[in-house]
Amino acid sequence: MPVDATPDPYADPIRFGQRLQILRTRKGLTRDALGGLMGRSGSWVKGLETGRLKMPRLEVVLRLAEVLRVQNLADLTGDQAVHVSLFTGPGHPRLADVVTAVNAFTLTTDTEAPPAAHIQARLSRAWAARHSAPNHREVIGALLPDLIRDAQLAVRQADRAGQRRAAHAALSQVYSLSQFFLAYQPEPALLWRVAERGMVAAQESEDPQTIGIAAWLTAQAHRDAGAGHYDAADAVIREALAFLEPLLPDAGDDVLAVAGALRFEAGYTAARRGETGTAWRFWDQADTMAQRLPGAYYHPVTSFSRAIMGAHAVTIAVELHAGGESVRQAAASDATTIPSRPRRARHRIEEARAYQLDGQPDVALATLEQAHAAAPETIAYNGYAKRIVLEEAESRVLARRQRAAGLAVKLGLLAA
């Protein structure tokens, strides 16, 4: 039995309606929400789930499977003889091009790779564009295919040790940018492959900052894979910090920032475990490192800075399910000091979680509207935000329900 105490939809005998209800619930959709996405009503969904209505035509079943992101039609129909691969979308329109670039295996080409320094300059512009654009996935999705191909070529064509290390550093950092694009899209296997390639390339580069960034992202991938991967996340962070800490007395701001970001990640994972003291101890250590950075400094990949520590405090409190403390930290933090639009939107989502925990749903919705204004593509891919919106779309308070429904339409959760 899964931890959510719902039946396994793959175990027979379970009829179509029961499978539909289980899969809908696991996706966090209400009957009205699913009905809206299908151009139908919530009562139509209820009829299917309760068996009052028969299983619909194949084209309707296929549409249901697409909306629910069911990869195998048998998961919904229960017919083990039917194994149809379905679209798991909605993926970003640029996803297919990025997938093709990552999967490419070109060994014979006359194309000359650009210098690693040229790739690094393009990477810097890509990160700057990501932080300033509300449609940041669109921006980096357009840049990634060429960056991936050129960085891979640079590694293959490097013929001197120093040149090869620089090329590996550039390739690892391109994979890091790719992870930001692929996160929360229907390509989890590709995300892991990119994370692993990034870590291997980082080690080949021997560059402390590149190694730290790859470890930071790999730890996040482990943590977000579930509680069974928390130990793996901690192990990656311990190894990375053991490598970086001897370098810190003479390190520049970028390496110091990455070490601080790793310390916060350790605190984040501790908060997921419910370890209050450990979580705040790591936050304190990260904050101490942040205070060593210039006031205007902002790390382009990890966002680590003085400005981000207030946002990190909100995240720790929310993950510890401390509603009052979450709101206190949200009031103490200042999102306007965060220069990155997507990171500012993410902070607003964390604030909304805090207000929801504290029983202030109207403030939570207003904060999510601020997140949408900052970066629509951030909130559109965030499960926490969607959960709040869908929950409040069923509120008994008419004004709140209407406000949530309006936001749900913007996020594509309900039909206009």
Side-chain angles (χ1 to χ4, degrees), residues 355-383:
Y355 290 120
Q356 188 79 352
L357 270 175
D358 199 50
Q360 301 184 53
D362 292 312
V363 183
L365 287 173
T367 308
L368 288 179
E369 288 170 345
Q370 291 178 307
H372 188 270
E377 286 191 347
T378 294
I379 187 172
Y381 286 86
N382 189 282

PDB file of all heavy atoms in Angstrom, residues 355-383:
ATOM      1  N   TYR A 355       1.375  31.144   4.336  1.00  0.00           N
ATOM      2  CA  TYR A 355       0.071  31.707   4.687  1.00  0.00           C
ATOM      3  C   TYR A 355      -1.015  30.639   4.677  1.00  0.00           C
ATOM      4  O   TYR A 355      -1.942  30.670   5.492  1.00  0.00           O
ATOM      5  CB  TYR A 355      -0.277  32.848   3.734  1.00  0.00           C
ATOM      6  CG  TYR A 355       0.582  34.071   3.938  1.00  0.00           C
ATOM      7  CD1 TYR A 355       1.391  34.560   2.906  1.00  0.00           C
ATOM      8  CD2 TYR A 355       0.616  34.733   5.165  1.00  0.00           C
ATOM      9  CE1 TYR A 355       2.186  35.680   3.100  1.00  0.00           C
ATOM     10  CE2 TYR A 355       1.418  35.851   5.364  1.00  0.00           C
ATOM     11  CZ  TYR A 355       2.193  36.318   4.325  1.00  0.00           C
ATOM     12  OH  TYR A 355       2.991  37.414   4.524  1.00  0.00           O
ATOM     13  N   GLN A 356      -0.912  29.680   3.753  1.00  0.00           N
ATOM     14  CA  GLN A 356      -1.884  28.587   3.722  1.00  0.00           C
ATOM     15  C   GLN A 356      -1.765  27.735   4.986  1.00  0.00           C
ATOM     16  O   GLN A 356      -2.780  27.348   5.580  1.00  0.00           O
ATOM     17  CB  GLN A 356      -1.653  27.732   2.468  1.00  0.00           C
ATOM     18  CG  GLN A 356      -2.727  26.677   2.224  1.00  0.00           C
ATOM     19  CD  GLN A 356      -3.974  27.260   1.595  1.00  0.00           C
ATOM     20  OE1 GLN A 356      -4.091  28.470   1.467  1.00  0.00           O
ATOM     21  NE2 GLN A 356      -4.905  26.417   1.192  1.00  0.00           N
ATOM     22  N   LEU A 357      -0.535  27.448   5.395  1.00  0.00           N
ATOM     23  CA  LEU A 357      -0.314  26.697   6.639  1.00  0.00           C
ATOM     24  C   LEU A 357      -0.905  27.417   7.836  1.00  0.00           C
ATOM     25  O   LEU A 357      -1.413  26.783   8.764  1.00  0.00           O
ATOM     26  CB  LEU A 357       1.193  26.505   6.866  1.00  0.00           C
ATOM     27  CG  LEU A 357       1.877  25.270   6.302  1.00  0.00           C
ATOM     28  CD1 LEU A 357       3.378  25.368   6.554  1.00  0.00           C
ATOM     29  CD2 LEU A 357       1.321  24.004   6.934  1.00  0.00           C
ATOM     30  N   ASP A 358      -0.827  28.736   7.812  1.00  0.00           N
ATOM     31  CA  ASP A 358      -1.272  29.552   8.947  1.00  0.00           C
ATOM     32  C   ASP A 358      -2.758  29.878   8.874  1.00  0.00           C
ATOM     33  O   ASP A 358      -3.248  30.683   9.669  1.00  0.00           O
ATOM     34  CB  ASP A 358      -0.454  30.851   8.997  1.00  0.00           C
ATOM     35  CG  ASP A 358      -0.519  31.524  10.357  1.00  0.00           C
ATOM     36  OD1 ASP A 358      -0.294  30.837  11.375  1.00  0.00           O
ATOM     37  OD2 ASP A 358      -0.797  32.744  10.406  1.00  0.00           O
ATOM     38  N   GLY A 359      -3.475  29.286   7.931  1.00  0.00           N
ATOM     39  CA  GLY A 359      -4.904  29.526   7.844  1.00  0.00           C
ATOM     40  C   GLY A 359      -5.277  30.869   7.273  1.00  0.00           C
ATOM     41  O   GLY A 359      -6.307  31.452   7.649  1.00  0.00           O
ATOM     42  N   GLN A 360      -4.449  31.389   6.336  1.00  0.00           N
ATOM     43  CA  GLN A 360      -4.743  32.671   5.696  1.00  0.00           C
ATOM     44  C   GLN A 360      -4.825  32.467   4.173  1.00  0.00           C
ATOM     45  O   GLN A 360      -3.967  32.941   3.424  1.00  0.00           O
ATOM     46  CB  GLN A 360      -3.658  33.693   6.028  1.00  0.00           C
ATOM     47  CG  GLN A 360      -3.477  33.973   7.515  1.00  0.00           C
ATOM     48  CD  GLN A 360      -2.464  35.069   7.765  1.00  0.00           C
ATOM     49  OE1 GLN A 360      -2.551  36.164   7.224  1.00  0.00           O
ATOM     50  NE2 GLN A 360      -1.486  34.776   8.611  1.00  0.00           N
ATOM     51  N   PRO A 361      -5.863  31.777   3.706  1.00  0.00           N
ATOM     52  CA  PRO A 361      -5.924  31.434   2.273  1.00  0.00           C
ATOM     53  C   PRO A 361      -6.025  32.635   1.355  1.00  0.00           C
ATOM     54  O   PRO A 361      -5.517  32.595   0.227  1.00  0.00           O
ATOM     55  CB  PRO A 361      -7.176  30.545   2.184  1.00  0.00           C
ATOM     56  CG  PRO A 361      -7.998  30.906   3.382  1.00  0.00           C
ATOM     57  CD  PRO A 361      -7.011  31.237   4.458  1.00  0.00           C
ATOM     58  N   ASP A 362      -6.691  33.711   1.797  1.00  0.00           N
ATOM     59  CA  ASP A 362      -6.810  34.878   0.920  1.00  0.00           C
ATOM     60  C   ASP A 362      -5.451  35.533   0.682  1.00  0.00           C
ATOM     61  O   ASP A 362      -5.142  35.958  -0.439  1.00  0.00           O
ATOM     62  CB  ASP A 362      -7.784  35.893   1.529  1.00  0.00           C
ATOM     63  CG  ASP A 362      -9.215  35.375   1.533  1.00  0.00           C
ATOM     64  OD1 ASP A 362      -9.661  34.872   0.488  1.00  0.00           O
ATOM     65  OD2 ASP A 362      -9.862  35.442   2.582  1.00  0.00           O
ATOM     66  N   VAL A 363      -4.641  35.598   1.736  1.00  0.00           N
ATOM     67  CA  VAL A 363      -3.289  36.146   1.587  1.00  0.00           C
ATOM     68  C   VAL A 363      -2.454  35.206   0.709  1.00  0.00           C
ATOM     69  O   VAL A 363      -1.648  35.659  -0.110  1.00  0.00           O
ATOM     70  CB  VAL A 363      -2.622  36.363   2.951  1.00  0.00           C
ATOM     71  CG1 VAL A 363      -1.245  37.001   2.778  1.00  0.00           C
ATOM     72  CG2 VAL A 363      -3.491  37.228   3.846  1.00  0.00           C
ATOM     73  N   ALA A 364      -2.654  33.899   0.877  1.00  0.00           N
ATOM     74  CA  ALA A 364      -1.924  32.924   0.052  1.00  0.00           C
ATOM     75  C   ALA A 364      -2.229  33.135  -1.424  1.00  0.00           C
ATOM     76  O   ALA A 364      -1.317  33.142  -2.268  1.00  0.00           O
ATOM     77  CB  ALA A 364      -2.279  31.502   0.478  1.00  0.00           C
ATOM     78  N   LEU A 365      -3.494  33.320  -1.772  1.00  0.00           N
ATOM     79  CA  LEU A 365      -3.860  33.530  -3.169  1.00  0.00           C
ATOM     80  C   LEU A 365      -3.293  34.838  -3.703  1.00  0.00           C
ATOM     81  O   LEU A 365      -2.805  34.902  -4.841  1.00  0.00           O
ATOM     82  CB  LEU A 365      -5.383  33.521  -3.322  1.00  0.00           C
ATOM     83  CG  LEU A 365      -6.067  32.159  -3.193  1.00  0.00           C
ATOM     84  CD1 LEU A 365      -7.577  32.325  -3.202  1.00  0.00           C
ATOM     85  CD2 LEU A 365      -5.623  31.214  -4.303  1.00  0.00           C
ATOM     86  N   ALA A 366      -3.341  35.888  -2.879  1.00  0.00           N
ATOM     87  CA  ALA A 366      -2.774  37.175  -3.317  1.00  0.00           C
ATOM     88  C   ALA A 366      -1.281  37.040  -3.574  1.00  0.00           C
ATOM     89  O   ALA A 366      -0.745  37.629  -4.526  1.00  0.00           O
ATOM     90  CB  ALA A 366      -3.036  38.244  -2.256  1.00  0.00           C
ATOM     91  N   THR A 367      -0.611  36.252  -2.750  1.00  0.00           N
ATOM     92  CA  THR A 367       0.828  36.054  -2.918  1.00  0.00           C
ATOM     93  C   THR A 367       1.125  35.238  -4.170  1.00  0.00           C
ATOM     94  O   THR A 367       2.106  35.502  -4.878  1.00  0.00           O
ATOM     95  CB  THR A 367       1.407  35.365  -1.668  1.00  0.00           C
ATOM     96  OG1 THR A 367       1.011  36.083  -0.499  1.00  0.00           O
ATOM     97  CG2 THR A 367       2.925  35.312  -1.726  1.00  0.00           C
ATOM     98  N   LEU A 368       0.276  34.262  -4.481  1.00  0.00           N
ATOM     99  CA  LEU A 368       0.447  33.492  -5.716  1.00  0.00           C
ATOM    100  C   LEU A 368       0.226  34.371  -6.942  1.00  0.00           C
ATOM    101  O   LEU A 368       0.867  34.180  -7.978  1.00  0.00           O
ATOM    102  CB  LEU A 368      -0.509  32.300  -5.740  1.00  0.00           C
ATOM    103  CG  LEU A 368      -0.164  31.150  -4.786  1.00  0.00           C
ATOM    104  CD1 LEU A 368      -1.205  30.048  -4.896  1.00  0.00           C
ATOM    105  CD2 LEU A 368       1.228  30.598  -5.055  1.00  0.00           C
ATOM    106  N   GLU A 369      -0.663  35.325  -6.840  1.00  0.00           N
ATOM    107  CA  GLU A 369      -0.849  36.274  -7.947  1.00  0.00           C
ATOM    108  C   GLU A 369       0.415  37.099  -8.169  1.00  0.00           C
ATOM    109  O   GLU A 369       0.783  37.399  -9.312  1.00  0.00           O
ATOM    110  CB  GLU A 369      -2.039  37.183  -7.653  1.00  0.00           C
ATOM    111  CG  GLU A 369      -3.383  36.461  -7.773  1.00  0.00           C
ATOM    112  CD  GLU A 369      -4.546  37.285  -7.242  1.00  0.00           C
ATOM    113  OE1 GLU A 369      -4.294  38.287  -6.527  1.00  0.00           O
ATOM    114  OE2 GLU A 369      -5.696  36.918  -7.533  1.00  0.00           O
ATOM    115  N   GLN A 370       1.116  37.430  -7.073  1.00  0.00           N
ATOM    116  CA  GLN A 370       2.394  38.133  -7.203  1.00  0.00           C
ATOM    117  C   GLN A 370       3.431  37.232  -7.855  1.00  0.00           C
ATOM    118  O   GLN A 370       4.247  37.688  -8.674  1.00  0.00           O
ATOM    119  CB  GLN A 370       2.886  38.587  -5.825  1.00  0.00           C
ATOM    120  CG  GLN A 370       2.057  39.693  -5.202  1.00  0.00           C
ATOM    121  CD  GLN A 370       2.580  40.060  -3.821  1.00  0.00           C
ATOM    122  OE1 GLN A 370       2.759  39.207  -2.944  1.00  0.00           O
ATOM    123  NE2 GLN A 370       2.830  41.339  -3.609  1.00  0.00           N
ATOM    124  N   ALA A 371       3.410  35.949  -7.516  1.00  0.00           N
ATOM    125  CA  ALA A 371       4.331  34.991  -8.145  1.00  0.00           C
ATOM    126  C   ALA A 371       4.073  34.916  -9.646  1.00  0.00           C
ATOM    127  O   ALA A 371       5.007  34.892 -10.453  1.00  0.00           O
ATOM    128  CB  ALA A 371       4.182  33.612  -7.505  1.00  0.00           C
ATOM    129  N   HIS A 372       2.809  34.884 -10.021  1.00  0.00           N
ATOM    130  CA  HIS A 372       2.459  34.813 -11.439  1.00  0.00           C
ATOM    131  C   HIS A 372       2.905  36.067 -12.171  1.00  0.00           C
ATOM    132  O   HIS A 372       3.396  35.995 -13.310  1.00  0.00           O
ATOM    133  CB  HIS A 372       0.952  34.612 -11.594  1.00  0.00           C
ATOM    134  CG  HIS A 372       0.531  34.350 -13.003  1.00  0.00           C
ATOM    135  ND1 HIS A 372       0.181  35.352 -13.873  1.00  0.00           N
ATOM    136  CD2 HIS A 372       0.424  33.185 -13.705  1.00  0.00           C
ATOM    137  CE1 HIS A 372      -0.132  34.824 -15.043  1.00  0.00           C
ATOM    138  NE2 HIS A 372      -0.004  33.510 -14.975  1.00  0.00           N
ATOM    139  N   ALA A 373       2.785  37.214 -11.522  1.00  0.00           N
ATOM    140  CA  ALA A 373       3.206  38.464 -12.152  1.00  0.00           C
ATOM    141  C   ALA A 373       4.719  38.492 -12.349  1.00  0.00           C
ATOM    142  O   ALA A 373       5.210  39.037 -13.342  1.00  0.00           O
ATOM    143  CB  ALA A 373       2.766  39.656 -11.299  1.00  0.00           C
ATOM    144  N   ALA A 374       5.458  37.897 -11.419  1.00  0.00           N
ATOM    145  CA  ALA A 374       6.925  37.904 -11.514  1.00  0.00           C
ATOM    146  C   ALA A 374       7.425  36.953 -12.591  1.00  0.00           C
ATOM    147  O   ALA A 374       8.307  37.307 -13.380  1.00  0.00           O
ATOM    148  CB  ALA A 374       7.544  37.531 -10.169  1.00  0.00           C
ATOM    149  N   ALA A 375       6.881  35.739 -12.653  1.00  0.00           N
ATOM    150  CA  ALA A 375       7.365  34.735 -13.611  1.00  0.00           C
ATOM    151  C   ALA A 375       6.284  33.674 -13.811  1.00  0.00           C
ATOM    152  O   ALA A 375       6.246  32.685 -13.085  1.00  0.00           O
ATOM    153  CB  ALA A 375       8.665  34.103 -13.115  1.00  0.00           C
ATOM    154  N   PRO A 376       5.414  33.850 -14.796  1.00  0.00           N
ATOM    155  CA  PRO A 376       4.329  32.890 -15.025  1.00  0.00           C
ATOM    156  C   PRO A 376       4.815  31.459 -15.230  1.00  0.00           C
ATOM    157  O   PRO A 376       4.144  30.511 -14.819  1.00  0.00           O
ATOM    158  CB  PRO A 376       3.644  33.428 -16.293  1.00  0.00           C
ATOM    159  CG  PRO A 376       3.967  34.886 -16.307  1.00  0.00           C
ATOM    160  CD  PRO A 376       5.342  35.004 -15.710  1.00  0.00           C
ATOM    161  N   GLU A 377       5.982  31.287 -15.852  1.00  0.00           N
ATOM    162  CA  GLU A 377       6.463  29.931 -16.115  1.00  0.00           C
ATOM    163  C   GLU A 377       6.962  29.231 -14.858  1.00  0.00           C
ATOM    164  O   GLU A 377       7.070  28.011 -14.831  1.00  0.00           O
ATOM    165  CB  GLU A 377       7.568  29.948 -17.182  1.00  0.00           C
ATOM    166  CG  GLU A 377       7.033  30.188 -18.573  1.00  0.00           C
ATOM    167  CD  GLU A 377       8.065  29.936 -19.645  1.00  0.00           C
ATOM    168  OE1 GLU A 377       9.267  29.818 -19.327  1.00  0.00           O
ATOM    169  OE2 GLU A 377       7.675  29.854 -20.810  1.00  0.00           O
ATOM    170  N   THR A 378       7.276  29.984 -13.811  1.00  0.00           N
ATOM    171  CA  THR A 378       7.677  29.356 -12.553  1.00  0.00           C
ATOM    172  C   THR A 378       6.468  28.753 -11.858  1.00  0.00           C
ATOM    173  O   THR A 378       6.474  27.579 -11.469  1.00  0.00           O
ATOM    174  CB  THR A 378       8.359  30.373 -11.626  1.00  0.00           C
ATOM    175  OG1 THR A 378       9.594  30.790 -12.213  1.00  0.00           O
ATOM    176  CG2 THR A 378       8.641  29.775 -10.258  1.00  0.00           C
ATOM    177  N   ILE A 379       5.415  29.521 -11.703  1.00  0.00           N
ATOM    178  CA  ILE A 379       4.236  29.040 -10.983  1.00  0.00           C
ATOM    179  C   ILE A 379       3.503  27.967 -11.785  1.00  0.00           C
ATOM    180  O   ILE A 379       2.911  27.048 -11.213  1.00  0.00           O
ATOM    181  CB  ILE A 379       3.306  30.216 -10.610  1.00  0.00           C
ATOM    182  CG1 ILE A 379       2.159  29.742  -9.716  1.00  0.00           C
ATOM    183  CG2 ILE A 379       2.786  30.934 -11.834  1.00  0.00           C
ATOM    184  CD1 ILE A 379       1.331  30.882  -9.151  1.00  0.00           C
ATOM    185  N   ALA A 380       3.576  28.035 -13.114  1.00  0.00           N
ATOM    186  CA  ALA A 380       2.871  27.057 -13.944  1.00  0.00           C
ATOM    187  C   ALA A 380       3.413  25.651 -13.770  1.00  0.00           C
ATOM    188  O   ALA A 380       2.697  24.670 -14.010  1.00  0.00           O
ATOM    189  CB  ALA A 380       2.953  27.461 -15.408  1.00  0.00           C
ATOM    190  N   TYR A 381       4.671  25.528 -13.356  1.00  0.00           N
ATOM    191  CA  TYR A 381       5.279  24.207 -13.182  1.00  0.00           C
ATOM    192  C   TYR A 381       5.437  23.826 -11.713  1.00  0.00           C
ATOM    193  O   TYR A 381       6.085  22.829 -11.409  1.00  0.00           O
ATOM    194  CB  TYR A 381       6.654  24.177 -13.863  1.00  0.00           C
ATOM    195  CG  TYR A 381       6.580  24.116 -15.367  1.00  0.00           C
ATOM    196  CD1 TYR A 381       6.466  25.273 -16.124  1.00  0.00           C
ATOM    197  CD2 TYR A 381       6.601  22.901 -16.046  1.00  0.00           C
ATOM    198  CE1 TYR A 381       6.388  25.234 -17.510  1.00  0.00           C
ATOM    199  CE2 TYR A 381       6.522  22.846 -17.429  1.00  0.00           C
ATOM    200  CZ  TYR A 381       6.415  24.013 -18.155  1.00  0.00           C
ATOM    201  OH  TYR A 381       6.333  23.959 -19.528  1.00  0.00           O
ATOM    202  N   ASN A 382       4.868  24.589 -10.792  1.00  0.00           N
ATOM    203  CA  ASN A 382       5.075  24.336  -9.371  1.00  0.00           C
ATOM    204  C   ASN A 382       3.872  23.620  -8.764  1.00  0.00           C
ATOM    205  O   ASN A 382       2.764  24.161  -8.736  1.00  0.00           O
ATOM    206  CB  ASN A 382       5.331  25.667  -8.644  1.00  0.00           C
ATOM    207  CG  ASN A 382       5.760  25.445  -7.204  1.00  0.00           C
ATOM    208  OD1 ASN A 382       4.941  25.172  -6.341  1.00  0.00           O
ATOM    209  ND2 ASN A 382       7.062  25.568  -6.963  1.00  0.00           N
ATOM    210  N   GLY A 383       4.095  22.412  -8.269  1.00  0.00           N
ATOM    211  CA  GLY A 383       3.013  21.615  -7.709  1.00  0.00           C
ATOM    212  C   GLY A 383       2.393  22.212  -6.464  1.00  0.00           C
ATOM    213  O   GLY A 383       1.176  22.091  -6.233  1.00  0.00           O
TER     214      GLY A 383
END
